[in-house]
Amino acid sequence: MVKFGSISGKTVLITGGGTGLGRGFALRFAAEGAHVALVARRADRLESVAGEVRAAGGAASVHPVDIRQANLVNDAVAQIVDSTGRLDILINSAAGNFISRAENMSPNGWKAVTGIVLDGAFHCASAAGRAMMQGGEGGKILSVVASYAWVGGPGTVHSASAKAGVIAMTKTLAVEWACYRIQVNALCPGFVDTEQSREVLWPTPEGRERLLARIPAGRFGTIDETVEAGLYLCSPVADYITGEVLTIDGGEWLNKGAFVLPNV
């Protein structure tokens, strides 16, 4: 029987690897013996996470890249394969978001978020998928989405639209690339308590309490439990799972009924 976390010796490309969930994925996958290739625009943040990985005895490389630029992504993937000899896992965790009513959304605001979330995810999946095909050993592609991709998200028309596109991309690539033994899945966390979430999504105590009231579990998710779910989908025990979206949100997206139950 294959161990749950048997990814030792594999190479994992993580976008958005300098902060939040990306950092969490990097530390956890490195602890399992993988080489983590960290991709984001800010080299200083990547170097900081790479330093944490190496201090813990892991292996990490840093690749400052704007994933909205396909040619730069292709170059980074080629560099990663040249230096490690392989590319086994891609985690699309780079994101961008801000709150705005649709009528106030500027073209640049729209492009900034959709460029990172949707275009960037495709550029990375395309380059990584070709590398996995050439390697001949299959691979895993995991994209981080959000439940408002299904139900819409007032104030986040750009992000909701982009993440809906990522889900469609995930399901499409899962079918096209199954013959290469590449599994393509998505992870759908709810509200995860990160520094970025606290700054952007609930900057006030009132906003925090309003969001908590929507979550049946009564709390935000943690980086650790979100990363563990991602590790499962990227491990060999999930080799027969593809085109799936695993939701981990404490029941928040299901809590859409017309009636509100009293607190118990």
Side-chain angles (χ1 to χ4, degrees):
M1 181 177 292
V2 178
K3 289 185 178 181
F4 171 79
S6 54
I7 60 171
S8 180
K10 295 181 182 285
T11 297
V12 184
L13 191 166
I14 304 171
T15 70
T19 58
L21 284 175
R23 172 181 173 275
F25 280 120
L27 296 175
R28 184 69 177 92
F29 278 61
E32 288 293 330
H35 174 101
V36 293
L38 307 176
V39 170
R41 282 179 292 175
R42 289 189 54 175
D44 57 334
R45 290 180 175 176
L46 296 180
E47 291 290 358
S48 177
V49 175
E52 292 183 77
V53 169
R54 293 164 187 151
S61 58
V62 168
H63 308 270
V65 171
D66 182 347
I67 62 172
R68 295 173 295 182
Q69 304 297 321
N71 61 321
L72 300 181
V73 172
N74 292 337
D75 290 345
V77 168
Q79 183 182 33
I80 291 164
V81 173
D82 285 345
S83 61
T84 68
R86 58 192 304 134
L87 178 57
D88 304 281
I89 299 168
L90 163 67
I91 299 177
N92 280 320
S93 65
N97 204 357
F98 58 89
I99 305 300
S100 173
R101 294 184 64 90
E103 64 267 28
N104 298 325
M105 181 71 60
S106 70
N108 285 339
W110 173 270
K111 290 178 181 179
V113 172
T114 59
I116 294 170
V117 176
L118 181 55
D119 297 345
F122 175 72
H123 296 329
C124 292
S126 177
R130 291 193 302 271
M132 293 171 186
M133 293 172 198
Q134 292 167 4
E137 297 183 19
K140 309 277 187 180
I141 296 175
L142 181 69
S143 297
V144 179
V145 295
S147 60
Y148 53 64
W150 294 304
V151 299
T156 61
V157 64
H158 47 353
S159 180
S161 300
K163 289 184 182 295
V166 172
I167 291 177
M169 180 192 78
T170 294
K171 294 178 180 294
T172 302
L173 295 182
V175 175
E176 290 193 11
W177 292 354
C179 60
Y180 299 107
R181 293 187 295 130
I182 299 173
Q183 290 84 50
V184 189
N185 293 294
L187 182 66
C188 180
F191 294 108
V192 180
D193 191 8
T194 68
E195 181 180 349
Q196 292 73 30
S197 295
R198 290 190 291 272
E199 290 178 356
V200 175
L201 300 181
W202 56 86
T204 67
E206 295 79 14
R208 180 179 185 276
E209 292 306 312
R210 186 167 58 251
L211 290 178
L212 282 173
R214 293 169 45 185
I215 305 172
R219 66 174 179 85
F220 296 126
T222 69
I223 290 177
D224 287 346
E225 62 194 354
T226 306
V227 167
E228 290 300 317
L231 178 61
Y232 163 69
L233 287 173
C234 292
S235 71
V237 297
D239 279 354
Y240 205 52
I241 300 174
T242 196
E244 189 56 72
V245 182
L246 176 60
T247 303
I248 173 171
D249 73 346
E252 189 272 331
W253 94 276
L254 299 171
N255 192 27
K256 307 297 181 184
F259 302 102
V260 178
L261 295 175
N263 292 329
V264 295

